[in-house]
């Protein structure tokens, strides 16, 4: 492995994976219980790190765009390069079309559908276990090989922010984002509410007038949606108690720091929530909420094989199928919460390390994690998953 390469898992289509999981994918919360039991059985039989579960709490009582978004997230999570095969677990009467989910996944990788109402509980559980064993055995035959960094898609996230995030951690991640993009790779930034007040600065970097308008419209429409649905005006306010405690007084202050994660690369496009990046290259904005788990879930469904996540106050957030690298520049936070923080950027804050030196170190950590080194969230079993809902339950 060189300074521009990592060792990952080749896939028949698309980019390589940095992990090699079998994914249990419940299409509705009603099939989650059986899926969780199947995961526990798989962990006992196969080990903890071969089979993963997307803990989907939605999938029924949904319609229209909201149902389509949930379906898209489920399908595209399974199509993430880190997933070798998927077991779609349906109850049988949910709103999500389980046959469609399984069929769309099966066009690109091994996938099977198990419907509980067709088989009964015990038989369905045994079928999931059989498939997990079979797919895990197949996955074990795929060996890591060397790939250029241009094959990486990296999500950019911040959560539990404080004053050190905007000063150090976010600009540092922005430097790494620029390194990845300049090498031919791709990055995705999200959390559209945290662009409010800084959207015009980000939009200036758009590759075209059309993309510039898409960026501004994404922020405008999200802000209007929040006003309409939550009856909240974010302008001049700060909705997060943690951010306030961390020294950030307004959403504009938060946004000015948050957008620094995007670096200086041109903005190549705007993605819907959980929309696949596909073969597109460069830096992109995805329309997600600021809630970390839902935001990360959207980017991973979009194709991010790993995520860079800055935190000033500390958060354990991970993801079911993608490693999440946690960064803080707050020395006290790192001292208290080093068990789930992967990179200590506080020497930059204190002046004993340059931004350039830290960016090189963090870039190397990205390549190590892409090559198999476990993040703290992975070691702690922090397998988070949460879909952004945009409609009422009926």
């Amino acid at each position: 492995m060189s300074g521009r390469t990592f060792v990952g898992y080749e896939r028949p289509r698309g980019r390589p994976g940095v992990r090699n999981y079998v994914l249990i994918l419940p299409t509705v919360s009603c099939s989650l219980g059986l899926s969780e039991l199947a995961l526990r059985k798989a962990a006992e039989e196969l080990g903890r790190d071969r089979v993963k579960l997307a803990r989907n709490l939605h999938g029924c009582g949904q319609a229209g765009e909201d149902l389509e978004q949930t379906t898209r997230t489920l399908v595209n999570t399974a199509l993430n390069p880190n997933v070798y095969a998927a077991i779609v677990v349906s109850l049988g009467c949910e709103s999500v079309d389980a046959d469609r989910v399984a069929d769309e996944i099966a066009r690109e990788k091994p996938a099977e559908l198990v419907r509980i109402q067709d088989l009964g509980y015990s038989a369905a559980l045994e079928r999931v276990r059989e498939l997990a064993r079979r797919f895990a055995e197949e996955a074990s035959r795929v060996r890591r090989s060397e790939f250029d960094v241009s094959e990486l898609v990296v999500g950019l996230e911040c959560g539990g922010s404080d004053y050190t995030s905007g000063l150090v951690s976010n600009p540092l991640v922005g430097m790494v984002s620029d390194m990845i993009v300049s090498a031919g790779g791709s990055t995705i930034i999200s959390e559209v509410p945290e662009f409010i007040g800084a959207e015009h600065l980000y939009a200036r970097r758009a590759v075209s007038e059309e993309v510039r308008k898409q960026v501004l419209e994404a922020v405008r429409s999200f802000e209007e949606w929040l006003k309409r649905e939550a009856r909240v005006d974010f302008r001049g306010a700060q909705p997060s108690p943690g951010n306030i405690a961390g020294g950030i007084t307004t959403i504009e202050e938060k946004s000015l720091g948050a957008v620094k994660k995007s670096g200086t690369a041109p903005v190549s496009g705007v993605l819907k929530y959980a929309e696949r990046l596909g073969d597109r290259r460069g830096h992109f904005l995805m329309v997600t909420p600021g809630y970390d788990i839902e935001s990360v879930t959207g980017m991973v469904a979009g194709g991010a094989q790993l995520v860079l996540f800055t935190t000033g106050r500390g958060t354990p957030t991970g993801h079911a199928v993608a490693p999440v690298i946690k960064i803080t520049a707050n020395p006290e936070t790192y001292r208290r919460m080093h068990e789930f923080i992967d990179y200590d950027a506080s020497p930059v804050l204190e002046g004993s390390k340059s931004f350039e030196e830290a960016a090189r170190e963090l870039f190397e950590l990205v390549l190590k994690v892409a090559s198999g080194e476990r993040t703290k969230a992975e070691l702690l079993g922090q397998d988070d998953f949460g879909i952004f809902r945009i409609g009422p339950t009926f």
Side-chain angles (χ1 to χ4, degrees):
M1 188 178 78
S2 73
R4 274 183 52 97
T5 63
F6 66 98
V7 286
Y9 298 96
E10 186 172 6
R11 299 301 182 211
R13 294 179 59 179
R15 291 178 170 89
V18 305
R19 298 294 184 264
N20 195 35
Y21 296 132
V22 175
L23 178 65
I24 300 175
L25 186 70
T27 54
V28 64
S29 57
C30 306
S31 60
L32 178 56
L34 183 146
S35 299
E36 288 181 325
L37 180 55
L39 178 70
R40 290 197 295 271
K41 298 293 185 181
E44 294 170 2
E45 297 172 22
L46 305 169
R48 196 184 76 175
D49 293 326
R50 299 179 70 183
V51 180
K52 294 291 183 175
L53 170 65
R55 289 180 169 84
N56 173 31
L57 295 176
H58 306 311
C60 204
Q62 296 180 261
E65 187 179 354
D66 184 46
L67 176 59
E68 182 59 32
Q69 181 160 289
T70 292
T71 302
R72 180 172 67 246
T73 307
L74 293 172
V75 170
N76 290 348
T77 298
L79 291 177
N80 185 285
N82 295 348
V83 176
Y84 169 81
I87 305 166
V88 179
V89 184
S90 163
L91 176 60
C93 55
E94 63 267 26
S95 300
V96 166
D97 184 340
D99 288 291
R100 172 190 164 190
V101 171
D103 289 346
E104 289 192 19
I105 298 167
R107 290 176 192 150
E108 297 192 22
K109 59 183 60 177
E112 294 282 352
L113 171 62
V114 177
R115 188 175 282 111
I116 298 170
Q117 288 177 347
D118 286 353
L119 299 176
Y121 190 92
S122 296
L125 176 61
E126 183 55 33
R127 178 61 176 157
V128 175
R129 292 176 63 187
E130 289 173 0
L131 289 168
R133 287 192 293 267
R134 190 184 92 199
F135 285 150
E137 174 58 30
E138 293 175 7
S140 69
R141 301 188 196 117
V142 182
R143 301 301 180 188
R144 286 187 181 266
S145 54
E146 195 166 21
F147 295 93
D148 190 79
V149 69
S150 61
E151 295 297 325
L152 284 179
V153 179
V154 178
L156 312 173
E157 182 78 10
C158 60
S161 299
D162 71 358
Y163 72 97
T164 69
S165 300
L167 289 174
V168 175
S169 300
N170 292 343
L172 179 62
V173 165
M175 293 174 71
V176 175
S177 175
D178 284 346
M179 294 166 72
I180 293 167
V181 172
S182 66
S186 303
T187 61
I188 303 173
I189 193 170
S190 57
E191 300 181 290
V192 165
E194 296 179 7
F195 280 66
I196 294 173
E199 67 270 32
H200 60 295
L201 302 175
Y202 182 78
R204 287 176 187 170
R205 291 159 41 200
V207 297
S208 67
E209 178 63 15
E210 179 184 3
V211 172
R212 186 188 76 83
K213 290 179 178 178
Q214 289 174 355
V215 169
L216 295 176
E217 175 58 20
V219 179
R220 186 203 66 79
S221 60
F222 207 111
E223 185 176 6
E224 290 301 314
W225 182 69
L226 289 171
K227 287 180 181 178
R228 184 175 64 254
E229 300 298 328
R231 296 180 174 83
V232 171
D233 186 353
F234 275 19
R235 296 275 173 175
Q238 173 48 256
S240 170
N243 287 170
I244 294 170
I248 303 171
T249 60
T250 67
I251 190 62
E252 290 87 352
E253 284 183 6
K254 178 68 164 69
S255 297
L256 288 168
V259 297
K260 290 182 179 179
K261 301 193 303 294
S262 67
T264 61
V267 180
S268 297
V270 177
L271 306 170
K272 294 187 295 186
Y273 184 84
E275 178 184 352
R276 291 182 81 189
L277 186 63
D279 295 331
R280 289 171 285 185
R281 305 274 170 161
H283 171 73
F284 294 81
L285 169 65
M286 178 177 284
V287 179
T288 80
Y291 176 38
D292 302 332
I293 292 173
E294 292 181 356
S295 177
V296 169
T297 295
M299 291 190 291
V300 173
Q305 299 117 311
L306 57 87
V307 177
L308 288 172
F309 190 125
T310 67
T311 180
R313 294 171 56 79
T315 173
T317 304
H319 189 272
V321 302
V324 177
I325 299 172
K326 220 67 59 55
I327 304 112
T328 191
N330 187 317
E332 286 303 307
T333 296
Y334 185 73
R335 181 185 62 80
R336 288 193 308 270
M337 302 187 179
H338 63 274
E339 292 164 300
F340 54 76
I341 291 176
D342 302 279
Y343 186 80
D344 177 15
S346 63
V348 179
L349 182 74
E350 295 165 342
S352 60
K353 184 179 290 185
S354 69
F355 270 102
E356 291 74 18
E357 183 181 0
R360 287 193 297 271
E361 291 177 350
L362 185 54
F363 181 77
E364 288 301 315
L365 179 58
V366 167
L367 297 181
K368 289 177 182 177
V369 170
S371 299
E373 182 173 308
R374 297 286 172 176
T375 64
K376 299 290 183 65
E378 288 179 292
L379 293 172
L380 291 171
Q382 191 81 24
D383 292 342
D384 295 313
F385 183 84
I387 299 176
F388 176 35
R389 286 288 304 272
I390 55 174
T393 299
F394 64 81

